[in-house]
Amino acid sequence: MRDLAWLQWPLFEQRHAALANELDAWAAEHVAHLHGPDVDAACRQLVRRLGDAGWLRHAVGGAWGAQAAIDTRAICLIRETLAYHNGLADFAFAMQGLGSGAISLQGTPEQQQRYLPRVARGEAIAAFALSEPEAGSDVANLQCAAHVEGDQVVIDGEKTWISNGGIADFYVVFCRTGEAPGPRGISAFIVEAGTPGFEIAERIDVIAPHPLARLRFNACRVPLSQRIGAAGEGFKVAMRTLDVFRTSVAGAALGFARRALDEGLRRATTRRMFNQTLADFQLTQAKLAQMALTIDSAALLVYRAAWQRDQGRGVTKEAAMAKLAATEGAQQVIDAAVQMFGGLGVKSGQTVEQLYREIRSLRIYEGASEVQQLIIAREMLKELKA
């Protein structure tokens, strides 16, 4: 069992410590060694295991969730724990939450009844389709368009870098509907896989394999009742969803970093050279100390942001700080662990090599590090003006 003494911080309630301890034991038995060449199949299997065990109930809100409102601290703890054991398991959990988050937060009762129970049970895989070839960090610039024809909506355009693309049962798609310029003219729609006019244009391979695709819509018709929220409110829906799950990206980074530190400690205390262990060198001790300091510093920012959101307070700046510190810090911690392993650290299949590939994308998705810096500065300037 890992050292989880930090769960006694006053940022947590007793139920959070119980949740993390229970999941840690479950994950070590059920997902830690689940891999394979067929990433799609592994992801589907992980979703079902997470659903069958009840963990996915924490990813949705309302009557189908573990709490009436999504518990941000629980989401972060779950992602951290799963990431420690298996990066794809973290991905599978996170995308069930992000993909259905807009429905949890702003869907109609009918939409929630139709999709959320299946997401929580692991019977339906969700996807969040926001990014486009020319609209990544600048999501307000998206061009995928939709217009109303009677009681239907017709969608044309493309989405890319869509996680769960190709295996999802439904996609929450953000389209320009033209009620106003910029972000005020975007709406969100639920598009089910297999809908005529919707296709997977390309599967995308990345350094840490997981289901990813470019989507194409060509006169794709969906019922107007599949719109989430009012017309023109899609950008707000997207930002509300990201506000919940951006902090959890930082939680996943913590999980990767903690695993790297544990691997580094084992390596340092068992690797012998020059008649002593690697851990006997002061250079190694200094590096281990810096790794621990980086992790705890980031963890305090992550769970401050999560606690603050659970109190109903705004977390735009705090979530950006958490994501920036945790993802950049985890990259440094994992790099240090790889260095301790020497040549073995870059051997394919080694834990630290896998962590090195896993962490890199977290510094990009759901707001690149540079975007987080802009958010922090802008929020500070707003506070000064106020």
Side-chain angles (χ1 to χ4, degrees):
M1 185 71 70
R2 297 188 296 130
D3 179 12
L4 300 176
W6 51 273
L7 286 167
Q8 301 306 311
W9 290 350
L11 293 166
F12 302 106
E13 300 171 24
Q14 287 187 348
R15 61 188 173 87
H16 292 118
L19 172 73
N21 279 288
E22 183 182 352
L23 177 57
D24 188 56
W26 180 88
E29 180 179 355
H30 295 281
V31 304
H33 307 292
L34 183 57
H35 299 284
D38 189 337
V39 176
D40 288 0
C43 196
R44 289 189 180 98
Q45 187 175 1
L46 283 164
V47 169
R48 288 309 301 260
R49 287 191 182 185
L50 290 164
D52 289 344
W55 300 114
L56 291 179
R57 293 181 61 244
H58 293 276
V60 302
W64 304 276
Q67 303 284 329
I70 293 175
D71 183 335
T72 314
R73 285 169 292 176
I75 291 285
C76 290
L77 286 169
I78 291 171
R79 290 202 64 181
E80 176 176 337
T81 304
L82 291 174
Y84 182 94
H85 290 284
N86 184 326
L88 192 59
D90 162 63
F91 167 84
F93 174 86
M95 286 314 305
Q96 288 296 89
L98 182 63
S100 65
I103 302 173
S104 288
L105 292 169
Q106 210 158 324
T108 65
E110 292 76 19
Q111 290 168 348
Q112 293 176 347
Q113 175 66 57
R114 182 173 183 178
Y115 295 103
L116 296 184
R118 292 189 294 140
V119 169
R121 293 193 297 264
E123 296 171 359
I125 295 178
F128 183 80
L130 180 63
S131 297
E132 297 181 5
E134 301 300 327
S137 297
D138 183 14
V139 296
N141 191 44
L142 64 83
Q143 299 301 311
C144 183
H147 66 275
V148 177
E149 289 187 3
D151 61 353
Q152 292 189 320
V153 174
V154 183
I155 302 174
D156 289 282
E158 289 194 352
K159 295 289 178 180
T160 195
W161 304 112
I162 305 306
S163 293
N164 276 347
I167 69 167
D169 295 288
F170 68 90
Y171 299 74
V172 174
V173 182
F174 296 86
C175 306
R176 181 157 301 286
T177 45
E179 290 77 15
R184 293 177 297 169
I186 295 170
S187 302
F189 303 94
I190 305 168
V191 181
E192 297 192 357
T195 301
F198 168 46
E199 64 174 326
I200 305 300
E202 176 190 11
R203 293 299 299 270
I204 303 172
D205 294 325
V206 289
I207 58 175
H210 66 266
L212 195 69
R214 176 166 58 91
L215 317 179
R216 180 180 294 129
F217 301 89
N218 183 12
C220 175
R221 293 177 175 270
V222 298
L224 185 57
S225 60
Q226 292 290 80
R227 187 178 64 205
I228 301 174
E233 290 188 351
F235 186 81
K236 291 182 180 179
V237 171
M239 293 305 104
R240 284 191 67 201
T241 306
L242 290 173
D243 267 352
V244 175
F245 292 97
R246 180 172 286 139
T247 307
S248 79
V249 178
L254 284 176
F256 291 140
R258 291 193 200 276
R259 180 61 181 269
L261 177 57
D262 285 352
E263 294 293 325
L265 283 166
R266 280 191 285 270
R267 174 69 171 180
T269 52
T270 58
R271 171 64 168 169
R272 297 198 61 81
M273 58 175 61
F274 305 111
N275 298 317
Q276 57 186 338
T277 67
L278 187 60
D280 291 322
F281 292 93
Q282 289 184 335
L283 278 172
T284 305
Q285 294 170 17
K287 184 60 68 175
L288 289 168
Q290 184 59 53
M291 293 162 76
L293 176 63
T294 299
I295 290 171
D296 271 18
S297 299
L300 286 165
L301 286 172
V302 172
Y303 289 108
R304 176 190 70 164
W307 172 86
Q308 190 165 314
R309 188 188 179 279
D310 286 342
Q311 308 312 305
R313 297 163 59 185
V315 293
T316 300
K317 181 179 70 176
E318 291 78 9
M321 285 182 169
K323 184 179 186 296
L324 179 64
T327 56
E328 292 291 333
Q331 182 80 66
Q332 296 166 15
V333 169
I334 293 168
D335 186 76
V338 169
Q339 197 73 7
M340 288 179 190
F341 275 75
L344 195 61
V346 293
K347 181 182 178 183
S348 180
Q350 287 289 318
T351 297
V352 290
E353 179 268 341
Q354 292 172 340
L355 291 169
Y356 196 84
R357 289 186 285 108
E358 289 280 4
I359 190 56
R360 190 59 186 85
S361 64
L362 272 66
R363 295 167 58 203
I364 299 172
Y365 74 71
E366 290 193 40
S369 293
E370 293 77 9
V371 173
Q372 304 310 318
Q373 290 174 322
L374 290 175
I375 291 171
I376 294 165
R378 287 172 182 171
E379 288 300 307
M380 291 170 61
L381 292 170
K382 284 181 185 177
E383 292 168 4
L384 179 63
K385 291 179 182 178

